Amino acid sequence: MSDPTSSELPNTAEAGPLSYAIFQLARTHRAHAAGMLRAMNLHPGQELLLMQLFDHDGRTQAELLERAGLDHSTVSKSLRRMQEAGLLTREPASHDRRVMVVHLTDAGRALQEPIADMWRTLEQVSVRDLTPDQIQAFTTCARIIEKSLRDHSRQPPGE
């Protein structure tokens, strides 16, 4: 069995070693986080929506979509599942019945500290072999790469 931490790149990825490393990192990080979320009966991405509601309960579904950076179908499906689990309620806005306003229930609010603990633990595991300077440099580089990708995806095709 091969070592999943091996630095050997597939031949096809040799032209993009950074992109391949990002892919491998994101996949591994997401899988680790998913295991931690399962312990709270949550699916990946649901914690991002809950965190937005912890900061400001009563956001609209559209605000959650924008702030969490998830696609429409993922947000709709996640909110439906969380409503069925008793973590939140959705109701039409008084000013426009087509707009859905999302509120936490007591059960949803009770997840704030467990989710904060989960993120703290995930951070500790992720950076345990890095220095504070490496953490800062990585975070800065990750944000620059994310912005570059976002900016590129906004450009019209052919530019």
Side-chain angles (χ1 to χ4, degrees):
M1 179 180 279
S2 67
D3 176 6
T5 61
S6 170
S7 61
E8 187 176 326
L9 290 173
N11 290 337
T12 309
E14 285 179 357
L18 177 90
S19 294
Y20 190 77
I22 290 169
F23 172 80
Q24 293 289 82
L25 170 63
R27 186 177 61 129
T28 304
H29 193 268
R30 181 177 167 90
H32 193 82
M36 297 171 82
L37 288 166
R38 269 192 302 278
M40 291 183 270
N41 294 315
L42 293 173
H43 296 276
Q46 290 180 336
E47 84 284 12
L48 301 176
L49 296 168
L50 288 169
M51 286 191 275
Q52 291 300 321
L53 292 168
F54 297 149
D55 287 352
H56 182 81
D57 197 10
R59 290 193 192 273
T60 66
Q61 209 164 304
E63 288 172 327
L64 290 171
L65 181 91
E66 181 182 328
R67 292 180 173 275
L70 302 169
D71 65 78
H72 184 271
S73 63
T74 300
V75 170
S76 294
K77 184 177 179 180
S78 292
L79 291 176
R80 181 183 45 77
R81 282 182 172 172
M82 289 189 292
Q83 185 172 9
E84 290 169 358
L87 302 177
L88 53 85
T89 61
R90 292 184 292 172
E91 55 191 35
S94 58
H95 69 281
D96 185 344
R97 309 268 317 145
R98 295 170 299 175
V99 174
M100 295 301 285
V101 179
V102 183
H103 290 279
L104 290 166
T105 62
D106 289 342
R109 272 188 286 287
L111 287 174
Q112 185 168 2
E113 198 52 41
I115 289 173
D117 288 343
M118 184 218 100
W119 277 96
R120 208 172 1 265
T121 300
L122 186 59
E123 183 81 1
Q124 290 167 352
V125 169
S126 298
V127 304
R128 72 173 181 227
D129 295 326
L130 298 175
T131 67
D133 286 345
Q134 288 172 319
I135 295 166
Q136 182 60 48
F138 178 84
T139 303
T140 299
C141 288
R143 288 184 179 140
I144 292 168
I145 292 168
E146 179 189 7
K147 181 183 181 315
S148 177
L149 290 167
R150 256 189 287 107
D151 290 350
H152 185 267
S153 68
R154 290 183 187 135
Q155 291 177 356
E159 283 191 23

